[in-house]
Amino acid sequence: MKMAKINIKNLFLGLIIAGSASLVNAQTTKVDSANNTSNTAATAQAGSNSTIDGLKKQIETNPKDTEALSKLATAYQEASDWTNAVETWKKISVLLPDWAPSYYSQAYAYQSAKDDANAKIAYEKYIATVKPAEVEQNKKNLAYAYFYLAFTEQKSDPNKAKEHIAKSIEYDPTNQDAVKLSKVLNS
């Protein structure tokens, strides 16, 4: 089972990196005409749907295939289908309850869907699930999770927000948004 978990973790890391590269490309690519935009979107949607359909068929054959589920959840995220992304990440969390990245991904999907209450719960679960031996490789994500919690609690529980922002900066002292929020909270 350890081998499967390691492969899934490596897969997830690769998917995150690939997704980040796609996001950067999407944010920096210029389109010359409205026709290109609609054609590109239609092509991306068709590719995404065929990927999603293929993965769904694969999962029908083996509903406990966490690698395929992870790919499916990522495909839903790339298609901005946040509801299905969340549901798929939840399935992975049931199958691999100690795998922290599934909770982080749930939080990301909830946050993208503007469901702040569930995003907060998922980020808290992510933080609680990261094992001490995994902290080093998860510092950036932990920093963001704590930043998000601090941001959401700054008005309702300023003291808790200060604790969270201190942890965020501890994990990533270069995050200027966290530094700014810390200054606001501590002024």
Side-chain angles (χ1 to χ4, degrees), residues 1 4-5 7-9 11-12 15 58-59 62-73 88-89 91-96 99:
M1 188 63 181
K5 284 187 179 182
N7 288 337
I8 292 168
K9 288 179 183 178
L11 168 70
F12 183 73
L15 292 171
Q58 185 176 344
I59 293 164
N62 181 5
K64 294 184 178 184
D65 183 347
T66 53
E67 188 173 333
L69 283 165
S70 180
K71 288 178 182 178
L72 179 61
T88 307
W89 286 120
K91 289 177 185 176
I92 295 168
S93 296
V94 169
L95 295 169
L96 301 170
W99 192 49

Side-chain angles (χ1 to χ4, degrees), residues 31-184:
V31 178
D32 292 334
S33 70
N35 288 339
N36 278 349
T37 303
S38 61
N39 289 341
T40 303
T43 302
Q45 188 66 28
S48 180
N49 285 341
S50 66
T51 300
I52 289 170
D53 291 342
L55 289 166
K56 286 166 75 175
K57 287 178 184 171
Q58 185 176 344
I59 293 164
E60 283 177 16
T61 306
N62 181 5
K64 294 184 178 184
D65 183 347
T66 53
E67 188 173 333
L69 283 165
S70 180
K71 288 178 182 178
L72 179 61
T74 302
Y76 282 135
Q77 284 182 193
E78 289 173 356
S80 299
D81 183 346
W82 305 118
T83 301
N84 282 318
V86 165
E87 292 308 312
T88 307
W89 286 120
K90 282 181 176 181
K91 289 177 185 176
I92 295 168
S93 296
V94 169
L95 295 169
L96 301 170
D98 294 337
W99 192 49
S102 65
Y103 300 107
Y104 186 87
S105 297
Q106 281 179 45
Y108 172 80
Y110 277 127
Q111 184 180 353
S112 297
K114 310 281 188 258
D115 184 347
D116 294 329
N118 282 316
K120 182 178 182 244
I121 291 167
Y123 279 126
E124 289 169 340
K125 181 69 175 172
Y126 165 72
I127 291 167
T129 307
V130 173
K131 295 173 187 74
E134 299 171 340
V135 167
E136 191 62 35
Q137 69 192 32
N138 284 285
K139 278 188 169 182
K140 290 283 187 187
N141 288 349
L142 283 165
Y144 183 80
Y146 277 112
F147 170 76
Y148 183 86
L149 294 176
F151 185 81
T152 60
E153 293 177 343
Q154 64 183 322
K155 291 182 180 153
S156 62
D157 192 346
N159 290 329
K160 192 73 166 168
K162 288 177 187 179
E163 290 174 28
H164 289 315
I165 203 64
K167 286 297 264 186
S168 177
I169 293 171
E170 176 185 329
Y171 288 124
D172 183 9
T174 65
N175 183 333
Q176 292 305 304
D177 290 331
V179 171
K180 288 176 188 173
L181 182 57
S182 178
K183 287 178 183 175
V184 169

